[in-house]
Amino acid sequence: MVLTGEDTTPYAQEPTKLIQPRSHTAKICIWADLSVDDIDRLNESQNADHIKKVLAEIFHLEDYQQDLKTGVLIDLYYYTVQFARDHSFNKEQTSTLFSIVKKTHEVCIETPFGNVDQTFAYFKELMLCHAVNRPPHSIELFSADEVKSITEYVINTYFRHFKMYKYAFTPLVRLDLSMNYIGMPDPPPEPEESGVVSPESGAPEEGVGGHETPTSEREKSDLMEEPEAKPEESAAKKELRSMIKNYLAEEMKKMKMSVEDQLKTTEDVLIKKLEVVEGATAKKGGKGSAKGKRK
């Protein structure tokens, strides 16, 4: 059983190795992807087309208008920069937020398998690395309110469309099966060319010295009996093939149901996390309004 990517031919000797979901360690990523000069170039214009063009030049994605996948990536980068601009982030905060979103996206698309839990955990660690003053492991670059705003933005824009990014940027996994039958008889060897000519040619068979080689009655009977054994062997193979197909159909059905159950479970977990975040936001807002009434 071999799992291969979409671009791998079914007869390839070395199939593409797919990365399994794994955990990542977060690190400080200020100025990791956007430098000071890059931020200055982005701040020069208020035009969305110009910002996308600058981002395409920085990350060598000039074909974003023709390639749909590159266009999705440019949109992700653009709206991240726009969010930082709307919340009046400074240059350090803009560069860091951009790297957080970019690195979260890279973890998401590194494997075609479901890894929403690992990706979300990595995103939270990235936020903690830039919200707590504990050098050299973390720095206090974002305040508590800014961390809350960034978390809500990333959850509502990226993690709500997690499956879409996974579908657009990861290869399609195909299952190739190769089976060896144990206990099956070996196929009969092909007869060697020894001067025996088929009756259709009409030529006599030649022996030593070019004379005709006599054929005994027993040899003729053996030649006539060989074709009779082939239908029995063919019927056995057909029955075995039918049994294998039925078994594989049942196993694929079970596998499909298992995958659907896993996707549903993952989606339910993500929805619960979103409800917890939204509930906490609503409670904080209610407390603030109550304080205002007391005043």
Side-chain angles (χ1 to χ4, degrees):
M1 183 183 298
V2 179
L3 290 175
T4 61
E6 183 181 14
D7 298 333
T8 305
T9 58
Y11 301 102
Q13 296 181 355
E14 296 183 358
T16 303
K17 294 182 180 179
L18 300 177
I19 299 176
Q20 297 294 327
R22 56 184 180 177
S23 301
H24 293 264
T25 303
K27 298 179 181 180
I28 299 173
C29 56
I30 184 172
W31 308 121
D33 298 288
L34 292 178
S35 63
V36 178
D37 294 336
D38 296 333
I39 299 296
D40 291 336
R41 292 180 60 189
L42 293 172
N43 291 334
E44 287 178 357
S45 176
Q46 301 293 330
N47 189 356
D49 294 335
H50 181 264
I51 295 176
K52 291 182 179 181
K53 184 178 180 180
V54 173
L55 289 171
E57 293 176 356
I58 294 173
F59 297 101
H60 307 288
L61 303 173
E62 289 81 0
D63 59 341
Y64 69 95
Q65 294 181 346
Q66 292 80 24
D67 189 356
L68 295 178
K69 184 186 296 186
T70 308
V72 173
L73 192 59
I74 287 293
D75 286 341
L76 176 65
Y77 292 167
Y78 165 74
Y79 287 110
T80 302
V81 174
Q82 189 63 36
F83 174 83
R85 180 178 295 183
D86 293 340
H87 288 75
S88 302
F89 285 175
N90 56 34
K91 296 180 181 180
E92 292 82 359
Q93 292 175 326
T94 301
S95 176
T96 303
L97 172 63
F98 186 90
S99 296
I100 289 175
V101 175
K102 185 174 181 292
K103 291 181 180 297
T104 301
H105 175 69
E106 290 173 353
V107 171
C108 166
I109 66 174
E110 73 174 2
T111 173
F113 304 108
N115 63 340
V116 62
D117 293 334
Q118 291 84 350
T119 305
F120 189 72
Y122 180 63
F123 166 73
K124 291 192 297 184
E125 289 185 9
L126 284 173
M127 292 303 304
L128 289 176
C129 283
H130 302 88
V132 179
N133 189 17
R134 195 182 56 155
H137 303 286
S138 62
I139 58 175
E140 189 177 1
L141 187 62
F142 297 107
S143 64
D145 293 336
E146 290 170 342
V147 170
K148 174 186 171 185
S149 300
I150 294 172
T151 303
E152 291 178 353
Y153 168 76
V154 175
I155 289 176
N156 292 327
T157 59
Y158 190 84
F159 284 98
R160 282 191 182 274
H161 303 90
F162 190 84
K163 292 183 180 179
M164 182 197 73
Y165 287 106
K166 180 76 71 175
Y167 176 81
F169 289 93
T170 58
L172 176 66
V173 178
R174 183 181 56 212
L175 180 64
D176 291 339
L177 293 176
S178 60
M179 295 174 291
N180 295 325
Y181 303 117
I182 301 176
M184 288 290 295
D186 296 333
E190 297 181 358
E192 299 179 357
E193 297 181 0
S194 58
V196 179
V197 183
S198 62
E200 298 177 357
S201 62
E205 53 184 30
E206 298 179 356
V208 180
H211 298 287
E212 181 179 356
T213 304
T215 304
S216 64
E217 295 295 331
R218 185 176 180 180
E219 291 176 350
K220 291 180 180 179
S221 62
D222 292 340
L223 292 174
M224 295 178 64
E225 290 177 356
E226 286 181 359
E228 295 180 358
K230 292 182 179 179
E232 297 179 359
E233 184 179 355
S234 178
K237 287 185 178 180
K238 287 182 180 179
E239 184 179 359
L240 179 60
R241 187 179 294 108
S242 177
M243 293 172 60
I244 293 173
K245 285 184 178 180
N246 293 335
Y247 177 77
L248 289 178
E250 292 294 331
E251 292 298 322
M252 292 299 294
K253 185 177 180 181
K254 294 178 182 179
M255 186 182 300
K256 183 179 180 181
M257 293 176 62
S258 176
V259 172
E260 290 178 354
D261 293 340
Q262 291 178 4
L263 291 176
K264 185 177 180 181
T265 303
T266 303
E267 186 175 358
D268 293 340
V269 171
L270 182 59
I271 291 175
K272 290 180 180 180
K273 290 181 180 179
L274 294 175
E275 291 177 353
V276 170
V277 174
E278 292 175 355
T281 304
K283 290 181 180 180
K284 289 182 180 180
K287 292 180 179 180
S289 60
K291 291 179 180 180
K293 290 181 180 179
R294 290 178 184 176
K295 291 180 180 180

